[in-house]
Amino acid sequence: MAAIRCEGLCRRFGETTAVEGLTLEVGAGELFGLVGPDGAGKTTTLRLLASIMEPTGGEAFVGGFSVSSQAEEVKGIIGYMSQRFGLYPDLSVIENIRFYADIYSISKKEREERIPRLLAFSNLAEFQKRRAADLSGGMKQKLGLCCALIHTPKILLLDEPTNGVDPVSRRDFWRILQTLLREGVTIFLATSYLDEAERCARIGLISGGKLLAAGTPAEVKGLFEGEIISALVQNPRESVFALSKEWKRGDVSIFGERLHLSSEEKESLGAAKEAMGAAGVEFSEIGVVEPTLEDVFLSVLGKKGAGDYWATASASKAASGGVTVAVENLTKRFGEFTAVDNVSFEVRAGEIFGFLGPNGAGKSTTIRMLCGLLSPTSGGGRVAGFEIASQAELIKSSIGYMSQKFSLYGGLTVEENMDFFAGIYA
């Protein structure tokens, strides 16, 4: 018997169809990934499987129980981790876990066995007295998983569990999932990260509420009808702009020091060399490579435009621009805690600068200082020609800032939100 079985599953909200005719099976002990962009129907599908929401058509069975008529039985055998943390920010790590243990009526003996194990394999043992509100994003995700596992579920439903999580925490998270698989837990994972989809035994590609394809990652890659050509070039950002004008068979995008040219046709290597010659792009290596799941997904959807994006981004030729952000020995302390310690760097005009680090490394604190929202404890710098420490208001009028927590108004429509922010800058 399949651990999860969907038969024409549907969910409509008025005139909007979020999930349409979903039919699939997930075997016991399998890791299945439901892969798709935002708004594809992944979260709605998981809520239907968790019996949090009733289908408006079709049926699904989880552990042999109907999600429509046997909701309590379903909830008793699953662990469900929602996209929005189901944590209590004012409770500590250990208090959150104990609270969920109370909900599932876990006995004292069972708690003594399970809680230390959960804390150990999530690397949260030394943080068990810290408030959930004070945890980094990765730690919150791992705590949410611990809460979902406190009653040892047979089936685990995870809604984009590593969204916004740094690579170190993502690695820890997947280590935990592999441990659970060895113990026979079935995992149904929704994700928009295609590199994570590669780790699943089978995947389903979903868009607009419809399942477009399903199978092993290798089987799904076999759906790609064209080919991908990879070329090693010296100046990829400048080269992609020039080549996008010459390459008419598909998109051109940057992968590190390489350009990837997608083609809807086979045997396009010769045409790629001709296009690069016409664009004046010099390459040291070129050849056909295996398509990624991203290539397959874009092909199945029939979407184009990645080349146009990169062409626009590259047109500014960042290398020739002046310095627009410069910080030297930038430091921020909160009491005895040092969040940013003597950071120095420069960013040139038109450049895309990547600020990398794990959750809690100091990235957000640094950006808040660059925006004039926090005053540095020491050090300083300039943004758009204005001093961070003394000209914060001038900086704010010269930048766009998208925070980690979206500053949108839930009661306004998309257009109303945009009109509101336009009015602020009027």
Side-chain angles (χ1 to χ4, degrees), residues 65-88:
F65 299 111
S66 165
V67 299
S68 302
S69 60
Q70 297 174 295
E72 291 307 311
E73 287 86 347
V74 169
K75 293 175 183 178
I77 62 170
I78 66 168
Y80 172 56
M81 183 176 169
S82 66
Q83 195 169 4
R84 295 182 178 180
F85 305 122
L87 303 176
Y88 293 85

Side-chain angles (χ1 to χ4, degrees), residues 374-395:
L374 278 179
S375 298
T377 304
S378 63
R382 298 173 68 85
V383 175
F386 302 113
E387 292 289 340
I388 292 172
S390 60
Q391 297 178 296
E393 293 307 313
L394 293 174
I395 289 176

Side-chain angles (χ1 to χ4, degrees), residues 79-114:
Y80 172 56
M81 183 176 169
S82 66
Q83 195 169 4
R84 295 182 178 180
F85 305 122
L87 303 176
Y88 293 85
D90 292 328
L91 297 184
S92 67
V93 168
I94 190 66
E95 288 169 341
N96 267 281
I97 295 175
R98 286 171 178 166
F99 175 78
Y100 277 89
D102 289 339
I103 291 177
Y104 288 105
S105 301
I106 305 300
S107 68
K108 181 179 179 181
K109 182 179 179 181
E110 289 175 315
R111 294 183 195 209
E112 290 174 350
E113 295 175 353
R114 295 178 189 174

Side-chain angles (χ1 to χ4, degrees), residues 251-263:
D251 295 329
V252 183
S253 54
I254 296 177
F255 281 73
E257 296 180 342
R258 292 181 174 273
L259 296 184
H260 278 200
L261 292 74
S262 67
S263 173

Side-chain angles (χ1 to χ4, degrees), residues 160-176:
E160 301 201 46
T162 59
N163 190 22
V165 172
D166 67 86
V168 175
S169 296
R170 286 175 68 188
R171 181 188 61 193
D172 289 344
F173 202 92
W174 276 93
R175 176 181 52 79
I176 294 170

Side-chain angles (χ1 to χ4, degrees), residues 281-296:
V281 176
E282 296 184 2
F283 57 88
S284 55
E285 294 179 15
I286 190 168
V288 177
V289 297
E290 182 181 273
T292 65
L293 282 175
E294 181 177 342
D295 296 321
V296 176

